[in-house]
Amino acid sequence: QVQLVESGGGSAQAEGSLRLSCVVSVPTYSKHKYCFGWFRQSPGKERDGVAIINSDGTTYYSDSVKGRFTISKDNAKKIVYLQMNSLKPEDTGTYYCAADAIDGGSWYLRRGSKDMNHWGKGILVTISS
């Protein structure tokens, strides 16, 4: 059973920064290689991929956040991070952490909302201009 719990959301001004954390609870974390991702859902829109990190550490980003957001993970602490810089009002939304035992890279960015198997409950991020 994989459990993902997000934290670090809240409100920020445009051009500011926030860091999201996702604590991963899975008994077999050390035995299996997990792919993790962050997704965003704005009101009235679909859940879109923001950033993916494969088990080997390779990262993938949507064009809208490339150069501003950084996904990383600490395997020892079992935490996945999303550092968000130069925030824009259009970054507002509910952010979800996701995991899957199969690497997916850019595929998950495009289709991960339908294909990744494990999800957190989400956390709200609000950016004001």
Side-chain angles (χ1 to χ4, degrees), residues 50-54 56 58-62 71 104-106 109:
V50 172
I52 302 292
I53 184 166
N54 275 351
D56 65 355
T58 305
T59 56
Y60 304 82
Y61 298 94
S62 67
I71 186 172
S106 58
L109 270 183

Side-chain angles (χ1 to χ4, degrees), residues 1-125:
Q1 180 73 14
V2 178
Q3 291 185 328
L4 307 170
V5 179
E6 303 97 338
S7 64
S11 300
Q13 296 282 334
E15 298 303 317
S17 298
L18 285 173
R19 188 177 78 161
L20 304 183
S21 299
C22 173
V23 176
V24 182
S25 297
V26 54
T28 58
Y29 187 97
S30 60
K31 296 181 180 180
H32 297 286
K33 298 179 178 180
Y34 284 90
C35 173
F36 298 100
W38 286 97
F39 292 75
R40 175 172 72 199
Q41 188 166 21
S42 302
K45 296 186 178 181
E46 294 186 352
R47 189 176 301 183
D48 294 327
V50 172
I52 302 292
I53 184 166
N54 275 351
S55 59
D56 65 355
T58 305
T59 56
Y60 304 82
Y61 298 94
S62 67
D63 288 341
S64 64
V65 307
K66 198 172 296 181
R68 300 188 297 121
F69 289 11
T70 303
I71 186 172
S72 62
K73 60 180 178 175
D74 185 325
N75 286 327
K77 295 181 178 179
K78 299 181 186 179
I79 300 177
V80 182
Y81 301 101
L82 184 68
Q83 178 66 45
M84 305 187 294
N85 298 328
S86 302
L87 285 162
K88 303 176 180 180
E90 50 263 43
D91 294 321
T92 293
T94 299
Y95 284 71
Y96 296 88
C97 179
D100 200 285
I102 299 174
D103 281 337
S106 58
W107 173 264
Y108 284 153
L109 270 183
R110 297 191 302 273
R111 290 188 51 84
S113 63
K114 300 176 177 63
D115 291 345
M116 296 191 80
N117 280 321
H118 308 287
W119 294 86
K121 294 182 179 181
I123 193 164
L124 182 63
V125 170

